[in-house]
């Protein structure tokens, strides 16, 4: 009886370990796919850089794990420049409503938006996730404080 119980415990332990190993492997595969998606998105964005739109210039796009990091310069002294809070609000609105970006967010991809002024000072450092976009009030976006 004891040997039967012992063999069942061993069998259940092995089954649990196998299940956990399978989950871990699946999670690793998903993370790799997310990293490849981030690298692909960053490469596509990088191929057309720099992109200038009035006082805003997108200078760099890179991938960091499952995140696409986008570095922008914003010339607050340029003609037609808007307050940084308005620029940030409009940027976040784009990332949360664009169909292609939303699809990537749904897959788990994240975007990090960094804006520097012409002196190189960080003005905005905002991470955009699916959870961020699902917030009732997207006014949580804050300019960088330094």
């Amino acid at each position: 009886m004891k040997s039967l119980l012992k063999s069942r415990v061993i069998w259940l332990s092995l089954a649990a370990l196998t299940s956990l190993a399978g989950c871990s492997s699946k999670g690793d595969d998903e993370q790799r796919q997310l990293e490849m998606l981030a690298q692909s998105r960053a490469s596509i964005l990088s191929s057309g850089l720099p992109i200038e739109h009035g006082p805003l210039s997108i200078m760099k796009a890179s991938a960091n794990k499952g995140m696409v990091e986008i570095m922008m310069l914003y010339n607050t002294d340029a003609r037609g420049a808007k307050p940084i809070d308005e620029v940030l609000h409009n940027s976040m609105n784009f990332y949360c409503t664009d169909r292609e970006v939303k699809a990537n967010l749904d897959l788990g991809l994240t975007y990090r938006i960094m804006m520097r002024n012409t002196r190189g000072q960080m003005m905005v450092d905002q991470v955009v996730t699916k959870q961020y976009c699902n917030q009732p009030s997207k006014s949580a976006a804050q300019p960088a404080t330094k």
Side-chain angles (χ1 to χ4, degrees):
M1 185 73 157
K2 280 187 177 182
S3 67
L4 180 62
L5 183 61
K6 188 176 180 180
S7 66
R8 282 189 176 178
V9 168
I10 291 173
W11 183 84
L12 287 172
S13 297
L14 286 173
L17 285 174
T18 304
S19 303
L20 289 174
C23 292
S24 154
S25 176
K26 181 181 178 189
D28 291 346
D29 287 345
E30 288 173 359
Q31 183 60 35
R32 271 192 296 274
Q33 287 178 347
L34 202 53
E35 289 174 11
M36 289 182 348
L37 178 60
Q39 186 62 51
S40 171
R41 298 303 307 156
S43 294
I44 290 168
L45 288 169
S46 289
S47 68
L49 296 181
I51 298 172
E52 294 186 20
H53 186 70
L56 184 67
S57 299
I58 302 173
M59 303 305 293
K60 179 181 174 187
S62 59
N64 183 5
K65 298 183 181 173
M67 179 182 291
V68 177
E69 296 180 335
I70 302 170
M71 177 59 70
M72 303 176 190
L73 292 179
Y74 189 67
N75 185 351
T76 55
D77 299 326
R79 185 176 185 193
K82 301 195 181 310
I84 192 64
D85 292 340
E86 187 177 332
V87 174
L88 178 58
H89 179 269
N90 291 340
S91 294
M92 296 304 103
N93 187 52
F94 169 80
Y95 282 93
C96 291
T97 59
D98 180 79
R99 193 173 66 192
E100 186 175 352
V101 173
K102 277 190 69 144
N104 288 331
L105 292 172
D106 288 343
L107 292 172
L109 195 67
T110 58
Y111 290 84
R112 181 178 179 199
I113 309 303
M114 297 171 284
M115 282 187 215
R116 295 184 180 272
N117 64 16
T118 53
R119 293 184 210 107
Q121 298 166 315
M122 187 71 75
M123 296 169 50
V124 170
D125 190 354
Q126 178 69 49
V127 175
V128 183
T129 63
K130 178 181 178 179
Q131 292 77 17
Y132 169 84
C133 291
N134 289 338
Q135 291 176 3
S137 171
K138 294 181 192 64
S139 61
Q142 297 292 320
T145 53
K146 282 205 176 181

